[in-house]
Amino acid sequence: MLWVAPAASVNILLPRTGSIVFPHDDPGAGMADQGDIDERIRTYYREQFDEGARLTTRSSQGVLEHRRTQELIAEHVESGRVIDIGGATGVHALPLLQRGVEVELIDPVAEQVGKARTAGISARVGDARDLPFADDEFDAALMLGPLYHLAADDDRVRALREASRVTRSGGIVFAAALSREVAFQAATLTREPHLTSELTNLFENGAPIAGGRFPAGHFHTADELAAEVTASGLDLIDVHGVEGPNGLLLENVDVGNEQLTDAALALARRGSTIPGIRDLSIHLLAIARVP
């Protein structure tokens, strides 16, 4: 079973705080085991990390990410019924509910589902690759976490196809990924200045480095995300860089600095779909239409 959760910030790209793990120069390093990732996801979101706080009170990066993601959703979703796949505690679902959109949330972590229900959101435990809904039930689908927790491209395409299946023809699918370029930058800033096989594997293939607390499955380039969306049968509209090139810097800025956050948001909007610049965002967001 796939255990999914929504978006994450720079801390997920780095090793455990206070215990930097240097990569081993192992030429046999390869794809992570999905079963191990699944178990780590349950532990991470149940015991170690508050996803709702990350996007609202932890830092200006989370506020920027949340605002820009909601902006992009609002450009395509005004009403109807939305499925929030990997929706955690409902931090993205709740604003939709508040403007009259019906939302059904699904997440693998029971504790997060419980919090979403407490907030008034219809929610259940489930798997992004095997959604418990009939065809064409929704007008739009949010996938703001599943893809970067899946190591295999076949699983990622399968999850995208499931989102497409439960969304009506003409509906919109939003699929988030974590930027490979930002992950590589973060990794090189915390390690010895030489290119190990693990760093090479991250840069060339998007494979996470062992030892990090965050249970990552894969890091994307914008072009790779576009290719996976297309391979799933969806009609790609565009791939956006969510936070823009200054998102990483806002990780160390407290919530409340509206002038700085507004400036970063303006820059994020300006470079949102420009090739190269969008890969400098921590998060990428593909927007696609169901044929």
Side-chain angles (χ1 to χ4, degrees):
M1 176 177 284
L2 162 64
W3 303 104
V4 297
S9 62
V10 65
N11 75 297
I12 69 176
L13 307 176
L14 300 173
R16 293 179 181 85
T17 302
S19 179
I20 292 179
V21 180
F22 289 89
H24 301 288
D25 194 9
D26 177 11
M31 186 183 298
D33 176 73
Q34 190 62 50
D36 175 65
I37 294 172
D38 294 346
E39 183 59 35
R40 290 168 58 210
I41 287 170
R42 290 192 292 271
T43 301
Y44 184 76
Y45 288 103
R46 183 179 62 240
E47 301 174 6
Q48 300 174 350
F49 202 75
D50 184 341
E51 180 64 17
R54 186 190 71 76
L55 288 168
T56 55
T57 61
R58 182 176 177 272
S59 74
S60 290
Q61 182 278 327
V63 173
L64 172 63
E65 178 193 335
H66 190 264
R67 284 178 62 185
R68 182 59 179 150
T69 300
Q70 285 291 320
E71 273 190 357
L72 291 168
I73 294 169
E75 289 178 7
H76 297 273
V77 178
E78 295 182 359
S79 60
R81 190 171 185 229
V82 172
I83 180 171
D84 188 0
I85 308 165
T89 60
V91 67
H92 279 294
L94 197 56
L96 294 176
L97 281 177
Q98 290 169 343
R99 59 185 181 90
V101 178
E102 183 181 352
V103 182
E104 184 74 33
L105 183 147
I106 187 165
D107 192 86
V109 183
E111 290 80 3
Q112 295 200 128
V113 168
K115 290 180 180 179
R117 289 173 175 167
T118 299
I121 300 164
S122 177
R124 68 180 77 181
V125 174
D127 184 337
R129 296 170 298 176
D130 187 17
L131 297 174
F133 299 101
D135 297 356
D136 306 323
E137 279 202 40
F138 299 94
D139 299 295
L142 307 183
M143 295 183 63
L144 303 182
L147 294 187
Y148 53 71
H149 285 305
L150 287 168
D153 54 359
D154 287 349
D155 277 340
R156 295 192 297 274
V157 170
R158 179 180 172 186
L160 285 163
R161 285 175 176 162
E162 273 292 273
S164 177
R165 178 185 66 78
V166 302
T167 304
R168 64 168 175 81
S169 177
I172 302 296
V173 173
F174 301 84
L178 286 171
S179 167
R180 183 183 306 180
E181 183 161 336
V182 175
F184 182 77
Q185 291 174 358
T188 54
L189 287 172
T190 60
R191 284 163 173 82
E192 295 172 346
H194 67 276
L195 195 62
T196 67
S197 61
E198 280 194 311
L199 284 172
T200 300
N201 200 21
L202 168 61
F203 184 77
E204 294 182 352
N205 303 310
I209 291 174
R213 183 178 67 164
F214 180 70
H218 187 76
F219 296 105
H220 285 78
T221 66
D223 288 343
E224 180 187 31
L225 178 58
E228 289 182 357
V229 167
T230 301
S232 74
L234 290 160
D235 294 333
L236 181 69
I237 297 173
D238 221 328
V239 176
H240 293 262
V242 175
E243 301 96 336
N246 283 341
L248 197 62
L249 298 176
L250 292 185
E251 180 68 21
N252 294 316
V253 176
D254 291 338
V255 170
N257 192 327
E258 294 184 6
Q259 183 176 8
L260 192 58
T261 304
D262 287 347
L265 180 60
L267 185 60
R269 291 168 178 158
R270 182 68 175 173
S272 192
T273 59
I274 298 176
I277 293 179
R278 62 188 177 184
D279 280 284
L280 297 176
S281 289
I282 299 171
H283 293 86
L284 305 169
L285 185 66
I287 303 177
R289 183 173 285 108
V290 179

